[in-house]
Amino acid sequence: VKLSKYAVTETNEIGQGVTIGEFAVVRAGARLGNDVVIHPHVVIESGVEIGPGTEVFPGAYLGKAPRGAGALARSPSFERRLVIGANCSIGPHAVIFFDVEIGDNTLLGDGASVREQGRIGSRCILSRYVTLNYDVRVGDGTKIMDNTHITGKTRIGNGVFISVNVSTVNDNALGRHGFQDEAIRGPLIEDGAMVGANAVLLPGVVVGRGAVVGSGAVVSRDVEPGTVVVGMPARCVRRVEAA
Amino acid sequence: VKLSKYAVTETNEIGQGVTIGEFAVVRAGARLGNDVVIHPHVVIESGVEIGPGTEVFPGAYLGKAPRGAGALARSPSFERRLVIGANCSIGPHAVIFFDVEIGDNTLLGDGASVREQGRIGSRCILSRYVTLNYDVRVGDGTKIMDNTHITGKTRIGNGVFISVNVSTVNDNALGRHGFQDEAIRGPLIEDGAMVGANAVLLPGVVVGRGAVVGSGAVVSRDVEPGTVVVGMPARCVRRVEAA
Amino acid sequence: VKLSKYAVTETNEIGQGVTIGEFAVVRAGARLGNDVVIHPHVVIESGVEIGPGTEVFPGAYLGKAPRGAGALARSPSFERRLVIGANCSIGPHAVIFFDVEIGDNTLLGDGASVREQGRIGSRCILSRYVTLNYDVRVGDGTKIMDNTHITGKTRIGNGVFISVNVSTVNDNALGRHGFQDEAIRGPLIEDGAMVGANAVLLPGVVVGRGAVVGSGAVVSRDVEPGTVVVGMPARCVRRVEAA
């Protein structure tokens, strides 16, 4: 174990070969597996578990407690536990809330942010400044590219590709009637689907297995499996060609 | 007052019950109200005032001086003063410039960034990676969601909802004639209006009271109060239904 | 030279008049020119060179090594060298990878991120949360505004203006056939061109000299020099008027 100068390490659950950089903070009760690398200025709160071989880049903040301020409509509920798998890469300034689970070999880019009740599989990429709202599930081998926002209660399958600057929305009333949990319906994106850059998925839409949503499309109705939709509002233009 | 190890606290204007985390920097002349919580790695410059009960998450930077480098067209003018109200939540890695005022119970998400001459009301949410340019005014109870950009000189009323990945623009010439302050016209978004995901508001447009801009709409003309516009360019399709 | 308390300065290649803030880390072999200002919590790795008069704001991370985790399709290659010119401004939480060169008087906003093989000219602005993928070239005097993503292998000329929330894409197959380097074609944006907010440039398109892409346009074919295109898909509507 290599503890750098000025590192604050309150836990004693640290595996072999771990490196902790200068000015990092690792709170009591946090657990670091073998060969974990913690860069400078990282903060890891109590209740966080990091699997072997995972690298956490400068300024990342692991274990944020949701806090509403006066302004937040939804009262956050969460468990003080965050589990990150083996051989992950957590980018600089990434923020991961409590009550999140992340599989093995998954990469979070700079400033990626995952809120409570997030469940992310293995071999995923959440690229730079991707933001996931509360209660999002992502399968294995899925890629979500830079600056895309995934709204609360979205379900995303395996091998999905979501391009940059994509928006997903879960509330037709745009929050105007206050927060009514039963009215919130996130999109469902099935295995192998692809969503183009700057597309918008409206509340509750299903993007079927292997379907393709064109760049800039605004999807207001379900997309059949294996079809291609484009435009605003999005309409089906053809079936996906066999690869 | 709880000063953590390695905190650099140069000010003596600190209220009761304040916590300052490890590796935080609080410059001389900064003022912290009662029960303020400063997490690790926060930087607070001289001239910053933080109201009671406000929590500032790791890596936030409060009191940035605009600096042009050689490249910046506009020469920034500003006052070395930043006032944040009571019971606010300032997210990790948020950046707030000097010459900004923020009301009570307002929440800034991860990496939200507010430039000089910003005036933000109470009970607002500026979500993750929202960026406000210089000279923006936001009323009370307004929500601006993830990755949305608010351009310079925009005026936003009370109870407005602006969804994710929205763009606002203030310069029809796209900066090609150099910076001419009188030619810059930000949008005006009136009380209770709603702007859908990935919409664009072009320079100087007025979105009237209670109006709704559909997702992906490109708004090039004023939107009448209480109407719904969609499409590119945006056209009125109906009046807003009574709730 | 002013070294603040708790700064970790391992290099001895530091010019005159340099300031290094609290809790900054400057690794052995990094080079800082005269009058460089390093704010608190900055990390500068070995192999980074910073030109005279450049200011680096809190939390910036200079010299990131690309790391794939298990999930990354492309195996990154890079040189451990990062050169930043004179009188630049590197925003808080900006992230610059190794194998990048940046000219003089260029400004990076909060959280801007530049990956390996990036070459950026002088007098440019890369605004807040702009992300450049690997192997991007940007000429002189070009501005790329907040939250815009520039895809790998994009080429951008001099005096270009790219507005906010713009997407560029380099892979028609959306990554579905695995990574095939020869199939990747980034856009080419020629001198003086302008790209409006929330526009999308599809793989390999050429935006000709002085052309204008309207807000929200989805550009699937080359844009002739000096023309204006709008819509989804984008079509030519007129020639650019003489200024």
Side-chain angles (χ1 to χ4, degrees):
Chain A
V1 173
K2 185 195 165 214
L3 299 185
S4 301
K5 199 176 175 185
Y6 303 124
V8 171
T9 306
E10 300 173 348
T11 184
N12 50 18
E13 303 198 61
I14 299 183
Q16 297 185 322
V18 167
T19 299
I20 300 182
E22 294 88 348
F23 316 120
V25 177
V26 184
R27 298 287 180 210
R31 298 170 63 178
L32 308 183
N34 293 340
D35 301 313
V36 162
V37 177
I38 305 296
H39 283 259
H41 308 124
V42 166
V43 177
I44 300 177
E45 301 284 6
S46 298
V48 176
E49 300 181 28
I50 301 181
T54 286
E55 184 166 4
V56 183
F57 284 93
Y61 179 35
L62 307 185
K64 183 174 190 295
R67 178 187 192 266
L72 197 67
R74 207 171 55 82
S75 176
S77 69
F78 68 99
E79 190 189 359
R80 291 190 83 83
R81 184 163 174 273
L82 159 57
V83 181
I84 299 173
N87 299 313
C88 291
S89 178
I90 308 298
H93 316 115
V95 177
I96 311 181
F97 283 64
F98 277 119
D99 192 5
V100 168
E101 297 176 14
I102 297 176
D104 299 334
N105 296 304
T106 282
L107 184 151
L108 267 65
D110 316 352
S113 174
V114 179
R115 282 192 50 180
E116 69 273 15
Q117 303 174 51
R119 299 289 179 269
I120 300 169
S122 295
R123 303 181 315 284
C124 291
I125 295 176
L126 271 58
S127 200
R128 291 172 284 188
Y129 304 113
V130 165
T131 58
L132 268 60
N133 229 328
Y134 69 98
D135 189 12
V136 167
R137 313 235 166 143
V138 178
D140 295 325
T142 284
K143 301 180 188 178
I144 306 177
M145 305 312 288
D146 306 53
N147 299 332
T148 281
H149 176 71
I150 304 297
T151 192
K153 298 198 175 185
T154 300
R155 298 289 177 266
I156 302 175
N158 303 304
V160 168
F161 181 90
I162 303 178
S163 189
V164 296
N165 281 319
V166 170
S167 293
T168 53
V169 175
N170 66 12
D171 181 3
N172 266 318
L174 293 175
R176 118 179 83 161
H177 306 308
F179 183 80
Q180 302 169 284
D181 197 65
E182 67 279 14
I184 299 294
R185 298 183 310 137
L188 166 61
I189 308 173
E190 296 184 344
D191 293 356
M194 296 187 281
V195 181
N198 284 46
V200 180
L201 304 185
L202 292 175
V205 297
V206 177
V207 178
R209 194 179 176 97
V212 175
V213 174
S215 295
V218 175
V219 180
S220 54
R221 292 187 299 188
D222 291 353
V223 178
E224 293 297 309
T227 63
V228 179
V229 300
V230 302
M232 176 162 46
R235 299 189 195 284
C236 180
V237 290
R238 62 169 186 274
R239 294 199 60 79
V240 174
E241 299 149 27
Chain B
V1 172
K2 185 195 165 215
L3 299 186
S4 300
K5 198 174 176 186
Y6 304 123
V8 171
T9 306
E10 300 172 348
T11 184
N12 49 19
E13 303 198 62
I14 299 183
Q16 297 184 321
V18 167
T19 299
I20 300 182
E22 294 88 348
F23 315 119
V25 178
V26 184
R27 298 287 179 210
R31 299 170 64 178
L32 309 183
N34 294 340
D35 302 313
V36 162
V37 177
I38 305 297
H39 284 258
H41 308 124
V42 167
V43 177
I44 300 177
E45 301 284 6
S46 298
V48 176
E49 300 180 28
I50 301 181
T54 286
E55 184 165 5
V56 183
F57 284 92
Y61 178 36
L62 308 185
K64 184 174 189 295
R67 178 188 193 267
L72 198 68
R74 206 172 57 81
S75 175
S77 68
F78 68 98
E79 191 189 1
R80 289 189 84 84
R81 183 163 174 274
L82 160 57
V83 181
I84 299 172
N87 299 314
C88 291
S89 178
I90 308 298
H93 316 116
V95 177
I96 312 181
F97 283 64
F98 278 120
D99 191 6
V100 168
E101 296 176 14
I102 297 176
D104 299 334
N105 296 304
T106 282
L107 183 152
L108 269 64
D110 316 353
S113 173
V114 180
R115 281 193 49 180
E116 68 273 15
Q117 303 174 50
R119 300 289 179 269
I120 300 170
S122 295
R123 302 182 316 283
C124 290
I125 294 175
L126 272 58
S127 200
R128 291 172 284 188
Y129 304 113
V130 165
T131 59
L132 267 59
N133 228 330
Y134 68 98
D135 189 12
V136 167
R137 314 236 166 142
V138 179
D140 296 325
T142 284
K143 300 180 188 179
I144 307 177
M145 305 312 287
D146 307 53
N147 299 333
T148 281
H149 175 71
I150 305 297
T151 192
K153 298 199 174 185
T154 299
R155 299 289 176 266
I156 303 175
N158 303 305
V160 168
F161 181 90
I162 303 177
S163 189
V164 296
N165 281 319
V166 170
S167 293
T168 54
V169 176
N170 66 11
D171 180 5
N172 266 318
L174 293 176
R176 118 179 82 163
H177 307 306
F179 184 81
Q180 302 170 285
D181 197 64
E182 67 279 13
I184 298 294
R185 297 185 310 136
L188 165 61
I189 307 174
E190 295 184 345
D191 294 355
M194 296 187 280
V195 180
N198 284 46
V200 180
L201 304 184
L202 293 175
V205 296
V206 178
V207 178
R209 194 179 177 97
V212 175
V213 174
S215 295
V218 175
V219 181
S220 54
R221 295 187 299 189
D222 290 354
V223 178
E224 293 297 309
T227 62
V228 179
V229 301
V230 302
M232 176 164 47
R235 299 188 194 287
C236 179
V237 290
R238 63 170 185 272
R239 293 199 60 80
V240 174
E241 298 150 28
Chain C
V1 173
K2 184 195 165 214
L3 300 186
S4 301
K5 198 174 174 186
Y6 304 123
V8 171
T9 307
E10 300 173 348
T11 184
N12 50 20
E13 303 197 61
I14 299 183
Q16 296 185 324
V18 167
T19 299
I20 300 181
E22 294 88 347
F23 315 119
V25 177
V26 185
R27 298 285 179 210
R31 299 169 64 178
L32 308 183
N34 294 339
D35 302 312
V36 162
V37 177
I38 305 296
H39 283 258
H41 309 123
V42 167
V43 177
I44 300 177
E45 301 284 6
S46 298
V48 176
E49 300 180 27
I50 301 181
T54 286
E55 185 166 5
V56 183
F57 284 91
Y61 178 35
L62 308 185
K64 183 174 190 295
R67 179 187 192 268
L72 198 67
R74 208 173 53 83
S75 176
S77 68
F78 68 98
E79 190 188 2
R80 291 189 83 83
R81 183 163 174 273
L82 159 58
V83 181
I84 299 173
N87 299 312
C88 291
S89 178
I90 307 299
H93 316 115
V95 177
I96 312 181
F97 283 65
F98 278 119
D99 191 6
V100 167
E101 296 175 15
I102 296 176
D104 299 333
N105 296 303
T106 282
L107 184 152
L108 269 65
D110 317 351
S113 174
V114 179
R115 282 193 48 180
E116 68 274 15
Q117 303 173 51
R119 301 288 180 267
I120 300 169
S122 295
R123 304 182 313 284
C124 291
I125 295 176
L126 271 59
S127 201
R128 291 171 284 188
Y129 304 113
V130 165
T131 58
L132 269 59
N133 229 329
Y134 69 98
D135 188 12
V136 167
R137 314 237 166 140
V138 179
D140 296 324
T142 284
K143 300 179 188 177
I144 306 177
M145 306 312 288
D146 307 52
N147 298 334
T148 281
H149 175 71
I150 305 297
T151 192
K153 298 198 174 185
T154 299
R155 299 289 177 265
I156 302 174
N158 303 305
V160 168
F161 181 90
I162 303 177
S163 189
V164 296
N165 281 320
V166 170
S167 293
T168 53
V169 176
N170 67 10
D171 181 5
N172 266 318
L174 294 176
R176 120 179 81 162
H177 306 307
F179 184 79
Q180 302 170 284
D181 197 64
E182 66 280 14
I184 298 294
R185 298 184 310 136
L188 165 62
I189 307 174
E190 295 184 344
D191 294 354
M194 296 187 280
V195 180
N198 285 46
V200 180
L201 305 184
L202 293 175
V205 297
V206 178
V207 179
R209 194 179 176 98
V212 175
V213 173
S215 295
V218 175
V219 180
S220 55
R221 293 188 299 188
D222 291 354
V223 179
E224 293 297 309
T227 62
V228 179
V229 301
V230 301
M232 175 163 47
R235 299 188 193 286
C236 179
V237 290
R238 63 169 187 273
R239 293 200 59 81
V240 174
E241 299 149 27

